[in-house]
Amino acid sequence: MAAFLPFSILAIAFYLAGASWVWLRLAGKVPEKSLLVRILGLSALTTHAIALYGQLGLADGLTLGLLEVASLLSWLICAFILLASLRHPTLNLASLLFPLAALFLLLGQFAEGSQSLAPGKDGLLFHVLASLSAYSLFALASVQALLLALQNRQLKHHHLKGLIAVLPPLQTMERLLFDLLLAGQILLTLGILSGFVFLDSMFSGGNGHKTFFSIAAWLTFGTLLIGHWRLGWRGNTAVRWTLGGSLLLLIAYFGSRLVLKFITG
C-alpha cells in the first residue's frame, strides 16, 4: 500500500485542481476551459487507477472492504462523467464528484480491508467488478433523477436562478439519465449472467435475496428503457422508475449482507 501512496497524493491533487477550476468558473472568476478540466480529470483517473491497484490488492486477489469499494465506485462515476462530457455538458458535476473521489481515495489509505477473493478467480472477479460498476452507474442515475425532478419543479415555478442556472438544459439532463440507465443495464446484465456462470449457486443463503432483488431491478430498468423508446416515457415517470429500480438494487446489496449476517450469527 505504501508503494502506491505517491499516486494517491497525485490523484487527490489532480481531483482538487480540476474541481477548483470548475468552482472558480461557476463563480465567474476564471474563463471556461473544458480541455484543462478534462486533462486534470484524466490525470486524476490515471493515478487513482494505479492507487486502486494497491488498495484493492489485485496482485494478491481482491480486497473489498467498504472504503475500497467506495474508492472504486467514485473512480467509476468520475470516469463516466468525464466520458459523458464529450457528448453532454457534464463537467459542472466535477465540482462535487471530484472532491468526493479525492475524499474516498484518502480514506482508502486507512482501510484495513478484508480478503474476499483469492487469486486465480478471474470469472468471479469479472462478476464482482461488473456488478459494482452497474451499482455505481445506477447510483449516479439516482442522483441525476433527483436533479431532474428538482429542475422540472423549478422550471414550473419559473425559478431560473441558483441550481437551475448551473445544471445543463432539461433535455440534456434527460439524455444523460437514459445514457446512464442504458450503460448500467448492460453492466447489470453482465453481472447477473456472470454470477450464474461463475458462482456455485445464485440462490443459496444470502445470494438468493441478492439475486431476486437484482433481477427485479433489472426488470424495472428494462421496462423503463423500453417505455422510453417505445412510449416516450420521460420526466417524473422516468424519475420514479429510476428511483424504484435503484431502491431494489440497494436492497439487493445491503439486504443480502444483513441476511448473511443474520444466518451466520
Side-chain angles (χ1 to χ4, degrees), residues 8-34:
S8 298
I9 295 173
L10 281 174
I12 291 171
F14 285 132
Y15 276 132
L16 295 181
S20 297
W21 188 272
V22 175
W23 276 111
L24 289 172
R25 182 183 63 78
L26 292 175
K29 303 294 184 181
V30 296
E32 180 175 0
K33 291 190 176 181
S34 299

mmCIF file of all heavy atoms in Angstrom, residues 8-34:
data_model
loop_
_atom_site.group_PDB
_atom_site.id
_atom_site.type_symbol
_atom_site.label_atom_id
_atom_site.label_comp_id
_atom_site.label_asym_id
_atom_site.label_seq_id
_atom_site.Cartn_x
_atom_site.Cartn_y
_atom_site.Cartn_z
ATOM 1 N N SER A 8 -1.636 8.129 -4.974
ATOM 2 C CA SER A 8 -2.827 8.629 -4.295
ATOM 3 C C SER A 8 -2.743 10.134 -4.090
ATOM 4 O O SER A 8 -3.715 10.866 -4.306
ATOM 5 C CB SER A 8 -3.001 7.931 -2.939
ATOM 6 O OG SER A 8 -3.195 6.550 -3.101
ATOM 7 N N ILE A 9 -1.579 10.614 -3.668
ATOM 8 C CA ILE A 9 -1.382 12.045 -3.440
ATOM 9 C C ILE A 9 -1.553 12.822 -4.740
ATOM 10 O O ILE A 9 -2.213 13.867 -4.784
ATOM 11 C CB ILE A 9 0.005 12.301 -2.823
ATOM 12 C CG1 ILE A 9 0.088 11.677 -1.421
ATOM 13 C CG2 ILE A 9 0.299 13.799 -2.750
ATOM 14 C CD1 ILE A 9 1.468 11.735 -0.801
ATOM 15 N N LEU A 10 -0.973 12.303 -5.822
ATOM 16 C CA LEU A 10 -1.102 12.960 -7.127
ATOM 17 C C LEU A 10 -2.564 12.996 -7.572
ATOM 18 O O LEU A 10 -3.049 14.018 -8.063
ATOM 19 C CB LEU A 10 -0.253 12.228 -8.168
ATOM 20 C CG LEU A 10 1.251 12.523 -8.165
ATOM 21 C CD1 LEU A 10 1.955 11.613 -9.157
ATOM 22 C CD2 LEU A 10 1.517 13.987 -8.519
ATOM 23 N N ALA A 11 -3.264 11.868 -7.402
ATOM 24 C CA ALA A 11 -4.667 11.806 -7.820
ATOM 25 C C ALA A 11 -5.507 12.815 -7.050
ATOM 26 O O ALA A 11 -6.345 13.519 -7.635
ATOM 27 C CB ALA A 11 -5.209 10.393 -7.611
ATOM 28 N N ILE A 12 -5.299 12.896 -5.760
ATOM 29 C CA ILE A 12 -6.042 13.850 -4.934
ATOM 30 C C ILE A 12 -5.762 15.278 -5.392
ATOM 31 O O ILE A 12 -6.678 16.111 -5.504
ATOM 32 C CB ILE A 12 -5.682 13.664 -3.447
ATOM 33 C CG1 ILE A 12 -6.241 12.323 -2.940
ATOM 34 C CG2 ILE A 12 -6.220 14.818 -2.602
ATOM 35 C CD1 ILE A 12 -5.758 11.948 -1.549
ATOM 36 N N ALA A 13 -4.498 15.566 -5.691
ATOM 37 C CA ALA A 13 -4.130 16.915 -6.146
ATOM 38 C C ALA A 13 -4.808 17.237 -7.480
ATOM 39 O O ALA A 13 -5.342 18.346 -7.679
ATOM 40 C CB ALA A 13 -2.615 17.022 -6.286
ATOM 41 N N PHE A 14 -4.811 16.277 -8.406
ATOM 42 C CA PHE A 14 -5.451 16.500 -9.712
ATOM 43 C C PHE A 14 -6.962 16.687 -9.550
ATOM 44 O O PHE A 14 -7.558 17.565 -10.198
ATOM 45 C CB PHE A 14 -5.162 15.334 -10.647
ATOM 46 C CG PHE A 14 -3.766 15.316 -11.199
ATOM 47 C CD1 PHE A 14 -3.002 14.155 -11.173
ATOM 48 C CD2 PHE A 14 -3.217 16.456 -11.760
ATOM 49 C CE1 PHE A 14 -1.711 14.130 -11.682
ATOM 50 C CE2 PHE A 14 -1.924 16.449 -12.283
ATOM 51 C CZ PHE A 14 -1.168 15.282 -12.236
ATOM 52 N N TYR A 15 -7.594 15.856 -8.713
ATOM 53 C CA TYR A 15 -9.034 15.990 -8.482
ATOM 54 C C TYR A 15 -9.380 17.379 -7.943
ATOM 55 O O TYR A 15 -10.304 18.049 -8.428
ATOM 56 C CB TYR A 15 -9.511 14.928 -7.485
ATOM 57 C CG TYR A 15 -9.814 13.582 -8.075
ATOM 58 C CD1 TYR A 15 -9.311 12.417 -7.483
ATOM 59 C CD2 TYR A 15 -10.628 13.446 -9.200
ATOM 60 C CE1 TYR A 15 -9.598 11.164 -8.008
ATOM 61 C CE2 TYR A 15 -10.920 12.196 -9.733
ATOM 62 C CZ TYR A 15 -10.396 11.059 -9.133
ATOM 63 O OH TYR A 15 -10.685 9.820 -9.648
ATOM 64 N N LEU A 16 -8.636 17.802 -6.928
ATOM 65 C CA LEU A 16 -8.929 19.096 -6.300
ATOM 66 C C LEU A 16 -8.644 20.259 -7.241
ATOM 67 O O LEU A 16 -9.362 21.268 -7.228
ATOM 68 C CB LEU A 16 -8.122 19.236 -5.003
ATOM 69 C CG LEU A 16 -8.479 18.231 -3.887
ATOM 70 C CD1 LEU A 16 -7.628 18.492 -2.661
ATOM 71 C CD2 LEU A 16 -9.961 18.321 -3.548
ATOM 72 N N ALA A 17 -7.611 20.120 -8.071
ATOM 73 C CA ALA A 17 -7.300 21.179 -9.038
ATOM 74 C C ALA A 17 -8.421 21.307 -10.066
ATOM 75 O O ALA A 17 -8.870 22.416 -10.396
ATOM 76 C CB ALA A 17 -5.968 20.885 -9.735
ATOM 77 N N GLY A 18 -8.905 20.160 -10.570
ATOM 78 C CA GLY A 18 -9.985 20.191 -11.541
ATOM 79 C C GLY A 18 -11.271 20.758 -10.953
ATOM 80 O O GLY A 18 -11.947 21.582 -11.576
ATOM 81 N N ALA A 19 -11.604 20.326 -9.736
ATOM 82 C CA ALA A 19 -12.816 20.824 -9.080
ATOM 83 C C ALA A 19 -12.704 22.310 -8.780
ATOM 84 O O ALA A 19 -13.679 23.057 -8.931
ATOM 85 C CB ALA A 19 -13.059 20.041 -7.787
ATOM 86 N N SER A 20 -11.523 22.754 -8.368
ATOM 87 C CA SER A 20 -11.321 24.173 -8.045
ATOM 88 C C SER A 20 -11.537 25.051 -9.269
ATOM 89 O O SER A 20 -12.145 26.133 -9.175
ATOM 90 C CB SER A 20 -9.909 24.390 -7.488
ATOM 91 O OG SER A 20 -9.731 23.687 -6.277
ATOM 92 N N TRP A 21 -11.055 24.585 -10.434
ATOM 93 C CA TRP A 21 -11.241 25.390 -11.645
ATOM 94 C C TRP A 21 -12.724 25.507 -11.993
ATOM 95 O O TRP A 21 -13.204 26.580 -12.370
ATOM 96 C CB TRP A 21 -10.475 24.784 -12.819
ATOM 97 C CG TRP A 21 -10.485 25.695 -14.010
ATOM 98 C CD1 TRP A 21 -11.424 25.761 -15.006
ATOM 99 C CD2 TRP A 21 -9.525 26.718 -14.308
ATOM 100 N NE1 TRP A 21 -11.120 26.741 -15.909
ATOM 101 C CE2 TRP A 21 -9.953 27.344 -15.507
ATOM 102 C CE3 TRP A 21 -8.347 27.141 -13.692
ATOM 103 C CZ2 TRP A 21 -9.227 28.387 -16.091
ATOM 104 C CZ3 TRP A 21 -7.635 28.178 -14.273
ATOM 105 C CH2 TRP A 21 -8.075 28.790 -15.455
ATOM 106 N N VAL A 22 -13.460 24.387 -11.834
ATOM 107 C CA VAL A 22 -14.894 24.421 -12.128
ATOM 108 C C VAL A 22 -15.609 25.373 -11.173
ATOM 109 O O VAL A 22 -16.465 26.163 -11.578
ATOM 110 C CB VAL A 22 -15.505 23.010 -12.047
ATOM 111 C CG1 VAL A 22 -17.025 23.069 -12.245
ATOM 112 C CG2 VAL A 22 -14.885 22.097 -13.103
ATOM 113 N N TRP A 23 -15.262 25.298 -9.877
ATOM 114 C CA TRP A 23 -15.876 26.195 -8.892
ATOM 115 C C TRP A 23 -15.593 27.654 -9.229
ATOM 116 O O TRP A 23 -16.481 28.517 -9.168
ATOM 117 C CB TRP A 23 -15.368 25.878 -7.489
ATOM 118 C CG TRP A 23 -16.091 24.758 -6.807
ATOM 119 C CD1 TRP A 23 -15.615 23.520 -6.505
ATOM 120 C CD2 TRP A 23 -17.451 24.783 -6.337
ATOM 121 N NE1 TRP A 23 -16.585 22.761 -5.888
ATOM 122 C CE2 TRP A 23 -17.725 23.515 -5.770
ATOM 123 C CE3 TRP A 23 -18.456 25.738 -6.344
ATOM 124 C CZ2 TRP A 23 -18.949 23.182 -5.216
ATOM 125 C CZ3 TRP A 23 -19.691 25.420 -5.791
ATOM 126 C CH2 TRP A 23 -19.929 24.165 -5.237
ATOM 127 N N LEU A 24 -14.335 27.955 -9.584
ATOM 128 C CA LEU A 24 -13.965 29.329 -9.922
ATOM 129 C C LEU A 24 -14.686 29.804 -11.184
ATOM 130 O O LEU A 24 -15.091 30.968 -11.285
ATOM 131 C CB LEU A 24 -12.452 29.427 -10.110
ATOM 132 C CG LEU A 24 -11.609 29.303 -8.831
ATOM 133 C CD1 LEU A 24 -10.121 29.210 -9.170
ATOM 134 C CD2 LEU A 24 -11.875 30.480 -7.890
ATOM 135 N N ARG A 25 -14.855 28.881 -12.145
ATOM 136 C CA ARG A 25 -15.577 29.258 -13.362
ATOM 137 C C ARG A 25 -17.047 29.536 -13.064
ATOM 138 O O ARG A 25 -17.626 30.504 -13.592
ATOM 139 C CB ARG A 25 -15.466 28.146 -14.406
ATOM 140 C CG ARG A 25 -16.158 28.507 -15.715
ATOM 141 C CD ARG A 25 -16.098 27.365 -16.706
ATOM 142 N NE ARG A 25 -16.812 26.194 -16.217
ATOM 143 C CZ ARG A 25 -18.139 26.059 -16.249
ATOM 144 N NH1 ARG A 25 -18.907 27.042 -16.702
ATOM 145 N NH2 ARG A 25 -18.708 24.959 -15.819
ATOM 146 N N LEU A 26 -17.648 28.729 -12.224
ATOM 147 C CA LEU A 26 -19.048 28.943 -11.862
ATOM 148 C C LEU A 26 -19.232 30.267 -11.121
ATOM 149 O O LEU A 26 -20.287 30.897 -11.203
ATOM 150 C CB LEU A 26 -19.563 27.775 -10.997
ATOM 151 C CG LEU A 26 -19.693 26.429 -11.709
ATOM 152 C CD1 LEU A 26 -20.092 25.338 -10.719
ATOM 153 C CD2 LEU A 26 -20.713 26.508 -12.844
ATOM 154 N N ALA A 27 -18.169 30.669 -10.387
ATOM 155 C CA ALA A 27 -18.218 31.941 -9.669
ATOM 156 C C ALA A 27 -17.843 33.121 -10.564
ATOM 157 O O ALA A 27 -17.872 34.278 -10.119
ATOM 158 C CB ALA A 27 -17.284 31.888 -8.467
ATOM 159 N N GLY A 28 -17.481 32.829 -11.825
ATOM 160 C CA GLY A 28 -17.141 33.900 -12.759
ATOM 161 C C GLY A 28 -15.753 34.458 -12.578
ATOM 162 O O GLY A 28 -15.444 35.542 -13.086
ATOM 163 N N LYS A 29 -14.886 33.698 -11.896
ATOM 164 C CA LYS A 29 -13.531 34.198 -11.621
ATOM 165 C C LYS A 29 -12.535 33.833 -12.718
ATOM 166 O O LYS A 29 -11.518 34.517 -12.884
ATOM 167 C CB LYS A 29 -13.031 33.635 -10.287
ATOM 168 C CG LYS A 29 -13.928 33.948 -9.089
ATOM 169 C CD LYS A 29 -13.967 35.418 -8.780
ATOM 170 C CE LYS A 29 -14.794 35.691 -7.515
ATOM 171 N NZ LYS A 29 -14.866 37.144 -7.209
ATOM 172 N N VAL A 30 -12.806 32.745 -13.446
ATOM 173 C CA VAL A 30 -11.882 32.295 -14.488
ATOM 174 C C VAL A 30 -12.703 31.926 -15.722
ATOM 175 O O VAL A 30 -13.905 31.649 -15.620
ATOM 176 C CB VAL A 30 -11.045 31.078 -14.038
ATOM 177 C CG1 VAL A 30 -10.141 31.444 -12.870
ATOM 178 C CG2 VAL A 30 -11.952 29.904 -13.669
ATOM 179 N N PRO A 31 -12.072 31.895 -16.900
ATOM 180 C CA PRO A 31 -12.807 31.513 -18.112
ATOM 181 C C PRO A 31 -13.059 30.006 -18.159
ATOM 182 O O PRO A 31 -12.424 29.229 -17.439
ATOM 183 C CB PRO A 31 -11.862 31.946 -19.240
ATOM 184 C CG PRO A 31 -10.503 31.881 -18.630
ATOM 185 C CD PRO A 31 -10.678 32.306 -17.190
ATOM 186 N N GLU A 32 -13.990 29.611 -19.018
ATOM 187 C CA GLU A 32 -14.281 28.185 -19.176
ATOM 188 C C GLU A 32 -13.186 27.529 -20.015
ATOM 189 O O GLU A 32 -12.911 27.959 -21.140
ATOM 190 C CB GLU A 32 -15.635 27.989 -19.858
ATOM 191 C CG GLU A 32 -15.992 26.527 -20.049
ATOM 192 C CD GLU A 32 -17.384 26.339 -20.612
ATOM 193 O OE1 GLU A 32 -18.065 27.361 -20.845
ATOM 194 O OE2 GLU A 32 -17.789 25.190 -20.827
ATOM 195 N N LYS A 33 -12.559 26.509 -19.457
ATOM 196 C CA LYS A 33 -11.530 25.757 -20.172
ATOM 197 C C LYS A 33 -11.809 24.268 -19.965
ATOM 198 O O LYS A 33 -11.221 23.621 -19.095
ATOM 199 C CB LYS A 33 -10.132 26.128 -19.679
ATOM 200 C CG LYS A 33 -9.701 27.546 -20.057
ATOM 201 C CD LYS A 33 -8.246 27.794 -19.764
ATOM 202 C CE LYS A 33 -7.817 29.190 -20.236
ATOM 203 N NZ LYS A 33 -6.375 29.446 -19.976
ATOM 204 N N SER A 34 -12.711 23.748 -20.785
ATOM 205 C CA SER A 34 -13.117 22.353 -20.644
ATOM 206 C C SER A 34 -11.949 21.404 -20.861
ATOM 207 O O SER A 34 -11.839 20.372 -20.178
ATOM 208 C CB SER A 34 -14.240 22.036 -21.643
ATOM 209 O OG SER A 34 -15.372 22.830 -21.401
#
